[in-house]
Amino acid sequence: MKISIITASYNYENYIQETIQSIIDQTYHDWEMIIVDDGSKDNSIEIIQKYCNSDDRIKLYTHENNENKGLSETIQLGLSKAQGEWIIFLESDDILTPDYIEKKLAIINKYGKDISLIFNNCEPFGDKQKISESMQFIEKNNEYLMKLKYPKNMFHHLYTSNKILTFSSVMVKKSSLKHLNYISPIPCLLDWTLWIQLSYTEKFYYLPEKLTKWRLHYDSYISKSTQTSPLQLQTIIYYNLFKQHKDFSIPLYIAYSHIIWLLIVLKRKCKNFIRKSILKKGKQSSNSNRS
């Protein structure tokens, strides 16, 4: 089975070599790597071309006139060139472990007819501050996913947050991607937009193994974006699915989720208010004793 790896490249000359090398180092060899450069201004294209010249499984594409078209069109161009039955999405600053493809093919051989997407746990690396800020969420996310039974329809699990940490942890059946809408309300969260749509009808499988090394840094696409609040994305995507399928359980679920969110926010505010009140009384008492 040929596997297609799609990598969207944009101004990551410092990282792209490690990304490509992680594919060359795979224990499974029947793959093609499709790199679509989205108008890079650095030396990314020159670096990629050297790998293309030495390995014909690696192919480079660009938009017309080397324009910058954005992530959505870049991914779609890559998909149009892919020949594999299954697609791996690999961001141009991340790394896959050598057994990534082999481990996921084992899941396909076992559950292939029942699943459309396989995703895995990630090992963060890169900026220490960024890792520190993200570790709690990563660990809690893994704990949550480990409690579910797979294959799993995750439609009602993706509304509150994107449980699939990065594009680079996903291997997905190509045929399942054909009818998705690639226009995201928040461009940097395109992956979440796609997985919500796919999860409405398809089942996913989670591997708790850290098969992806997820580079966290402040120069990443999502870190630079000013549109990171997910509320708009969640509501629009779920509402569009409601209009498409006329499934009234979707708006009911949205209403239920927002009520739960409101209760959680109120609970946090009450806790903070009580904590601040206790601290304030403690300071007042301490000052009175000193006087």
Side-chain angles (χ1 to χ4, degrees):
M1 184 190 298
K2 184 182 286 295
I3 304 299
S4 298
I5 300 101
I6 295 178
T7 295
S9 168
Y10 181 68
N11 287 346
Y12 274 173
E13 64 177 354
N14 294 327
Y15 309 130
I16 191 68
Q17 294 183 74
E18 289 180 274
T19 301
I20 297 172
Q21 191 62 47
S22 76
I23 298 303
I24 294 172
D25 292 341
Q26 290 295 306
T27 55
Y28 185 82
H29 303 294
D30 190 5
W31 52 260
E32 61 172 358
M33 187 175 192
I34 297 167
I35 305 173
V36 183
D37 190 85
D38 190 24
S40 290
K41 305 302 180 186
D42 60 6
N43 294 317
S44 294
I45 288 181
E46 288 79 2
I47 293 169
I48 297 164
Q49 193 60 59
K50 288 179 182 178
Y51 282 95
C52 294
N53 294 339
S54 61
D55 192 327
D56 60 9
R57 295 175 297 176
I58 302 170
K59 302 160 188 176
L60 171 64
Y61 297 94
T62 60
H63 297 296
E64 190 175 353
N65 299 320
N66 205 29
E67 289 183 80
N68 177 259
K69 295 275 192 175
L71 182 59
S72 176
E73 290 198 39
T74 300
I75 289 292
Q76 289 181 81
L77 177 56
L79 285 170
S80 72
K81 304 296 182 181
Q83 298 177 0
E85 295 177 47
W86 285 77
I87 305 293
I88 291 171
F89 289 108
L90 175 58
E91 297 187 46
S92 55
D93 55 347
D94 292 336
I95 299 171
L96 303 184
T97 61
D99 57 352
Y100 180 101
I101 298 178
E102 188 178 341
K103 288 283 181 70
K104 292 203 171 177
L105 282 175
I107 300 300
I108 292 171
N109 290 333
K110 189 173 182 180
Y111 300 106
K113 294 181 180 179
D114 300 321
I115 58 175
S116 289
L117 184 148
I118 310 166
F119 67 110
N120 56 271
N121 197 6
C122 301
E123 180 182 344
F125 76 113
D127 186 273
K128 291 182 180 179
Q129 179 62 33
K130 194 74 174 173
I131 294 171
S132 177
E133 293 170 1
S134 305
M135 276 308 299
Q136 186 177 7
F137 172 75
I138 293 171
E139 290 170 356
K140 284 188 175 182
N141 190 65
N142 181 57
E143 289 174 9
Y144 177 89
L145 292 169
M146 288 284 286
K147 294 175 183 177
L148 304 179
K149 185 177 180 180
Y150 304 94
K152 178 75 174 176
N153 183 292
M154 296 189 65
F155 184 67
H156 292 107
H157 297 269
L158 291 174
Y159 185 74
T160 53
S161 66
N162 187 4
K163 303 296 187 297
I164 302 176
L165 297 176
T166 169
F167 249 134
S168 300
S169 69
V170 169
M171 187 165 173
V172 60
K173 195 178 290 184
K174 184 185 177 184
S175 59
S176 299
L177 295 169
K178 289 181 179 179
H179 305 296
L180 301 184
N181 183 349
Y182 287 79
I183 299 174
S184 176
I186 302 176
C188 68
L189 299 179
L190 172 64
D191 55 342
W192 196 359
T193 301
L194 299 179
W195 311 150
I196 288 173
Q197 295 175 72
L198 190 59
S199 68
Y200 183 73
T201 55
E202 307 292 334
K203 290 184 178 180
F204 295 0
Y205 192 95
Y206 176 63
L207 269 172
E209 296 177 62
K210 295 179 179 180
L211 302 178
T212 302
K213 293 186 177 181
W214 181 24
R215 193 187 301 270
L216 300 179
H217 56 101
Y218 290 99
D219 289 328
S220 67
Y221 184 26
I222 192 168
S223 294
K224 288 183 175 181
S225 174
T226 57
Q227 295 179 299
T228 54
S229 174
L231 183 60
Q232 181 186 10
L233 179 143
Q234 294 159 314
T235 306
I236 290 175
I237 300 303
Y238 277 78
Y239 178 67
N240 286 342
L241 285 169
F242 161 67
K243 288 195 299 181
Q244 180 182 348
H245 298 283
K246 302 297 186 291
D247 182 351
F248 284 90
S249 70
I250 296 176
L252 288 174
Y253 179 73
I254 292 172
Y256 166 78
S257 297
H258 280 274
I259 291 170
I260 297 299
W261 274 355
L262 181 60
L263 291 174
I264 290 172
V265 170
L266 288 173
K267 183 179 179 181
R268 285 176 183 168
K269 287 186 176 181
C270 287
K271 280 186 175 180
N272 287 335
F273 176 78
I274 293 169
R275 183 175 59 83
K276 288 178 181 179
S277 297
I278 292 171
L279 289 173
K280 186 176 180 180
K281 286 182 180 179
K283 287 180 180 180
Q284 290 174 345
S285 176
S286 177
N287 292 334
S288 297
N289 291 336
R290 287 176 184 175
S291 60

